[in-house]
Amino acid sequence: MNISYSWLKAVAPGLSESAEDLAERLALLGAPVEEITSASAGLEDLIIGQVKSVRGHPNADRLSLCEVYDGEELVEVVCGAPVIEEGGFYPFAAVGVTLPGGFKLKRAKIRGEYSNGMLCSEKELGLGRDQSGIMFLSGDVSAGQSLIEALGLDDVRMDVEVTPNRGD
């Protein structure tokens, strides 16, 4: 059974020990924790980018050229998602970032235009199965902010072994 450590702390407000200490305690009570996994594994270098402008790619009908503000500077990104909004906030991986799954981003020339990063979908980030479009972020977010912080992924998942209570 998978349990969020943050959820457990919300349900049991007096819980002050670390996830590792809690795992030891659960093992002593007959519910060993098989694995503790970070909810944000592989997302450490991703930030939020704000799309400042979108225009059609001069050499491709289904691609767009986006100017993305990463909190420090504007970078040009080639994007294949059908709906990108000016002013919208999206997960952004800059050149040099390695995405979950091991794909390392490089500056790439796509149909004659350079892309200096990537706006990401849920599937590319390992956060879901939706790959139909880029993951739009709403709420109180800002350009350059850590994606982990914005999505509240500073948590661990505890895989607790639940054994049946049988006499045989």
Side-chain angles (χ1 to χ4, degrees), residues 46-65:
L46 281 109
I47 60 171
I48 296 176
Q50 182 180 23
V51 174
K52 292 294 189 177
S53 70
V54 180
R55 65 185 191 280
H57 192 294
N59 302 318
D61 294 337
R62 296 184 184 204
L63 297 177
S64 300
L65 294 177

Side-chain angles (χ1 to χ4, degrees), residues 79-99:
C79 184
V83 180
I84 295 289
E85 298 176 13
E86 285 187 10
F89 293 94
Y90 303 92
F92 176 67
V95 172
V97 169
T98 302
L99 294 174

